[in-house]
Structures are given as C-alpha cells and as structure tokens.
Amino acid sequence: WMTSAGEWFWSWLDIVDGLGLPSIYVPTGTSLLIFAVLLGLWLLGARLLPLLVSVLLMWTALLAANVFELPAAASQKAGLWLVDSGQGQALLVSDGAHHVLIDTGPAFGEQFSVASSALVPLMRREGIHHLDALVISHGDNDHAGGVDDILNAVNVNQLFVGENLSLGSKTSLAEVAEQGEEKVQQQTDCHQLAKQTGTHTHVLSDAFQLTFLPVPEAERTNANNHSCVVMIEWMALRILVPGDIDMDVERSLIAAHGDNLRADVLVAAHHGSRSSSSNMWLNTVRPDVVLFSAGYRNSFGHPHPDVVKRLGDGVVHANT
C-alpha cells in the first residue's frame, strides 16, 4: 500500500506540475505568521462561517502575504555556503546586502539541476532575491549546468565568465536584459576585466570584494584552464576559488602574484584532483582551511589521497 500511495502521490505531482500554476514563496517568519492567522481563520470558519468562505479567506491571506512580504522576515543574511552539488561546484557568498554566486553545479537534463533544487531554495531561505554578481568559472556542466535556472529565478546585475557561455533554451541574456533596471549585463570575460575597467577588482562593499586573477592566454589550452580564479575578500577573510585549473596554471599564477595568493580558505582546484593543488601552490597560498567540492563516492576518487596528504597535518579540510 505504501508503494501504491507513493505512485499515486508522484502521479498527482506530475499533474499539478503540468498545470503551470504560479509558485508562491513565503519566508519562514512570514510562514509562521500565516500559519497562526490561518489557524484562527479555520477555527472561526468552523464555528461561524461556512467552510467555503473560510477556505477563500485562507487563500486570500496567502496571496496577501506574498504581495506584502514582511521586511523583518525576509532579512538577508551574511554567510558563505559551499553547497553540496555532487561532482560539481557552487559557492554562495553574502555580506548581508550584496550577494555573489560562483558556479551553479551541474544539470541533469531539462528537468533537474542543483541550481533549481538546492541553490534557489537556499537563497530564498536566506532572504537573497538577487545576485550582484554571478561568476561562471568555465563552461563545463559541473560548474555551469544551472546558469539558465539561476537567470530565470533571480535578477543578476553582472555576469563574469571564464569562457563565453552558450545559454540554453530556458533563457537568453537578451531576454533577461529587457527586464528593467536590475538586469544581466553582457558576459564579462574575467581574464580581460582589467582591459575593460582598468582593474581586476570588483568592489561590492568595504567588507566584500572580488579580485580576478587572469590566467595567461598561453595557458588557456582547455576548458578547465579557462577557469576564473577569484580571490574573495569577505568579512576580513580571504577565500581563494581557482576553478578547475591545473598545476601549470598554478605555477603561472605563483610567478605573477606570489604572496598575494595567501588565503585563509582555499576551495581546492578541480574538486581535489591530483593534477592540481601542487605542493608549491599550497605552500604559497598557505590556507588554514581547504574545502573540497566533490561527489559522494565519485568515480574519480576526488579528493585524491595524494592531495589530502600534501595538505599536511596543520590544515583543516572538509569535503561536501
């Protein structure tokens, strides 16, 4: 009977999904208020009003709560979240007023992506309804698979890319750019930012900025090495996010930036692949914490035991 009930439930969800009904998101604090109001309305309806009127009042209250959202309930929260995106990467960072997403994790066909199933719900839970910057390190699915879902779900002020993106059928930058003041700008090549703006740094606030470390053109021999390498300065911490670069690019960046690569937190390149995170790189960055974004029991063996061994005993590390 449980199997039959489950099959009926999923069939019902398919039917509802096909109706194209508008979704209503209500923040947690507002939801509690609505629950209290609806409970009162229900009791009132059971005693004094016909049941139909009571139900209509409930629906009206839901719609009103969605339109007149309580500011306190939707307050935005500062934080840094490296989301479990399987064998992919997605990093959300906020100082409470400005919000940046670096990569979106993978998509699996038209119907499912980490962006729609995990990132957008996380953002809504934390009261984040727009992105000041969306950074897509490079075009591989494990980093860029959910970009269409993100562009559809929230306003994005600026899009930085390591290589030009071919957006799918779900959206287009031209369509999104017509949506008013908060719009997606054209794709900005993170390796060419200084040529366009005169600086590699994108300042969001006094406590939050992104510095893009361009990969030399000669080293951009494949998609992984097109990755945007981003130094985040956030709440007095430095977080280095190097995408999927390999050891050759690491050496080039060390030669170009030296001790400026020092970071408190390092998101390990290429999910902890043995072809990245060289001893020279780790000795230059000198992180206190290393984070691996890797899939559970993934077939690549990431993070590779050699990389974990290179960290030494004094570095805290964790795996999504």
Side-chain angles (χ1 to χ4, degrees):
W1 70 265
M2 291 181 67
T3 301
S4 298
E7 290 174 352
W8 179 88
F9 177 67
W10 285 108
S11 298
W12 177 75
L13 287 181
D14 285 336
I15 293 171
V16 173
D17 184 53
L19 295 177
L21 298 174
S23 60
I24 294 178
Y25 164 69
V26 183
T28 303
T30 310
S31 299
L32 294 175
L33 176 62
I34 290 172
F35 177 78
V37 171
L38 293 188
L39 181 60
L41 287 173
W42 183 267
L43 294 173
L44 183 66
R47 292 180 179 181
L48 303 176
L49 299 173
L51 184 60
L52 178 61
V53 175
S54 181
V55 171
L56 288 175
L57 285 172
M58 289 183 197
W59 181 245
T60 303
L62 268 173
L63 291 176
N66 188 54
V67 175
F68 304 104
E69 194 172 272
L70 296 180
S75 61
Q76 297 169 343
K77 179 180 177 181
L80 185 149
W81 300 267
L82 184 63
V83 175
D84 182 358
S85 54
Q87 190 62 16
Q89 180 173 289
L91 178 69
L92 179 64
V93 189
S94 172
D95 67 355
H98 304 89
H99 323 290
V100 172
L101 177 63
I102 300 180
D103 291 333
T104 66
F108 303 94
E110 287 282 323
Q111 302 302 318
F112 180 81
S113 72
V114 168
S116 61
S117 64
L119 285 173
V120 172
L122 170 64
M123 291 168 63
R124 287 176 172 168
R125 188 191 76 191
E126 302 301 340
I128 297 172
H129 302 293
H130 79 281
L131 291 172
D132 293 273
L134 172 61
V135 181
I136 304 298
S137 62
H138 63 295
D140 284 354
N141 178 58
D142 57 338
H143 291 252
V147 64
D148 285 326
D149 290 321
I150 293 297
L151 292 177
N152 270 333
V154 296
N155 288 312
V156 177
N157 291 349
Q158 195 150 9
L159 176 62
F160 297 97
V161 298
E163 56 182 349
N164 194 54
L165 299 178
S166 297
L167 297 176
S169 59
K170 294 182 181 179
T171 188
S172 72
L173 283 180
E175 292 172 355
V176 179
E178 294 173 357
Q179 293 180 359
E181 293 299 322
E182 291 183 296
K183 61 185 181 181
V184 174
Q185 308 298 321
Q186 65 181 0
Q187 299 182 42
T188 301
D189 187 334
C190 64
H191 305 293
Q192 304 296 324
L193 184 61
K195 293 182 180 179
Q196 298 179 26
T197 65
T199 178
H200 293 296
T201 300
H202 183 63
V203 178
L204 297 161
S205 72
D206 291 340
F208 191 11
Q209 66 181 36
L210 311 176
T211 299
F212 294 93
L213 309 177
V215 175
E217 188 172 359
E219 300 288 354
R220 289 180 242 152
T221 55
N222 54 48
N224 287 343
N225 285 344
H226 270 82
S227 293
C228 295
V229 180
V230 189
M231 179 69 79
I232 306 168
E233 295 186 50
W234 173 81
M235 312 292 276
L237 291 173
R238 288 165 61 88
I239 301 105
L240 183 57
V241 188
D244 279 356
I245 62 171
D246 64 17
M247 291 184 183
D248 291 335
V249 175
E250 290 176 354
R251 282 193 289 269
S252 295
L253 293 175
I254 292 169
H257 303 284
D259 287 339
N260 288 330
L261 293 171
R262 170 75 179 94
D264 302 287
V265 179
L266 171 66
V267 179
H270 205 177
H271 320 286
S273 168
R274 183 170 53 177
S275 62
S276 306
S277 301
S278 64
N279 282 317
M280 183 185 297
W281 176 255
L282 294 172
N283 289 337
T284 302
V285 177
R286 303 194 308 281
D288 300 312
V289 177
V290 173
L291 303 176
F292 296 104
S293 184
Y296 175 66
R297 295 178 65 87
N298 65 87
S299 60
F300 304 99
H302 295 160
H304 197 280
D306 288 355
V307 174
V308 176
K309 186 177 180 180
R310 289 174 201 160
L311 299 181
D313 296 330
V315 178
V316 176
H317 63 274
N319 186 356
T320 55

